[in-house]
Amino acid sequence: MSIRITTKARRGMVAMTIAAGLALGAAGCGSGGDDKKPEASPSASRTGGSDPSAQEGQAGDLLAELKGPNGLLLQIDSASRDTGGFITVSGELKNEGDKTLAIPAQLSGNETEIIRNGRSFGGATLVDAKGKKRYYVLRDTDGRPLTTTGISSIKSGETIPVFMQFPAPPTGTADVSLQLPMFAPADITISG
């Protein structure tokens, strides 16, 4: 339990740091920026987010399903553009199998820096086929991925909320493919 609280606090601080850095870099583009704080995106419940949109926080809305090995299913219900210049993809990891499953290590990706920080969804990428670009999961200054971390197993029938943050593609780009090792890729539409 304390790992999740620490992780949530760390995510909020990192998101605020990223937003502040981008706001300083774009100081000539406008004022304020405090109207919507990115801290609500990764750590808040999906029904209490700060920016209600057509794709976020509504029960029954589903952007995509990615089928994984042994009955693992990743359901994506939100892909929103945050004010700090990043995309937060949120959903739930489900175990539809009949036994407890170990979360595949491949989901963390193969980069030494991310693997060193434990189990995560650090291997996820967003692919913009039109712009011919691949976006990798963001990291904090210590190399920790800005994703759900610390999940080593999932019981049969269990559902675990997950999130992943990526650099934002250009504002004109809304359709991307979410790719995760060992899961079938899925097309999603970014809101906001």
Side-chain angles (χ1 to χ4, degrees):
M1 181 76 91
S2 65
I3 292 173
R4 278 201 167 145
I5 292 169
T6 302
T7 302
K8 286 181 180 180
R10 198 176 312 136
R11 274 190 238 128
M13 290 179 2
V14 170
M16 289 175 60
T17 302
I18 291 170
L22 291 172
L24 288 174
C29 297
S31 63
D34 291 336
D35 299 337
K36 296 179 187 173
K37 295 185 174 142
E39 63 194 12
S41 290
S43 59
S45 70
R46 286 179 308 283
T47 57
S50 61
D51 184 21
S53 71
Q55 294 183 353
E56 184 177 349
Q58 297 178 6
D61 285 350
L62 189 62
L63 293 181
E65 283 190 341
L66 290 79
K67 293 186 186 253
N70 303 317
L72 285 176
L73 180 67
L74 180 61
Q75 293 183 318
I76 302 300
D77 55 25
S78 164
S80 58
R81 205 176 280 274
D82 294 306
T83 57
F86 53 93
I87 302 293
T88 301
V89 176
S90 301
E92 296 180 330
L93 181 66
K94 293 184 175 186
N95 178 355
E96 294 188 328
D98 57 359
K99 59 184 176 180
T100 298
L101 296 173
I103 301 298
Q106 291 90 331
L107 297 184
S108 297
N110 59 7
E111 295 180 45
T112 305
E113 188 174 43
I114 290 180
I115 293 170
R116 179 179 47 205
N117 288 294
R119 298 271 174 119
S120 71
F121 289 81
T125 58
L126 287 181
V127 177
D128 171 11
K130 184 178 174 186
K132 298 182 181 173
K133 291 194 177 187
R134 179 179 301 268
Y135 297 90
Y136 294 88
V137 168
L138 289 169
R139 299 177 203 163
D140 67 13
T141 55
D142 293 324
R144 291 182 294 258
L146 299 183
T147 71
T148 302
T149 59
I151 302 170
S152 58
S153 64
I154 183 169
K155 296 176 184 172
S156 176
E158 187 177 13
T159 299
I160 299 172
V162 298
F163 85 97
M164 295 156 267
Q165 289 185 323
F166 302 91
T171 53
T173 301
D175 297 320
V176 293
S177 174
L178 176 63
Q179 298 183 0
L180 190 62
M182 302 185 70
F183 282 72
D187 294 333
I188 59 174
T189 301
I190 300 167
S191 64

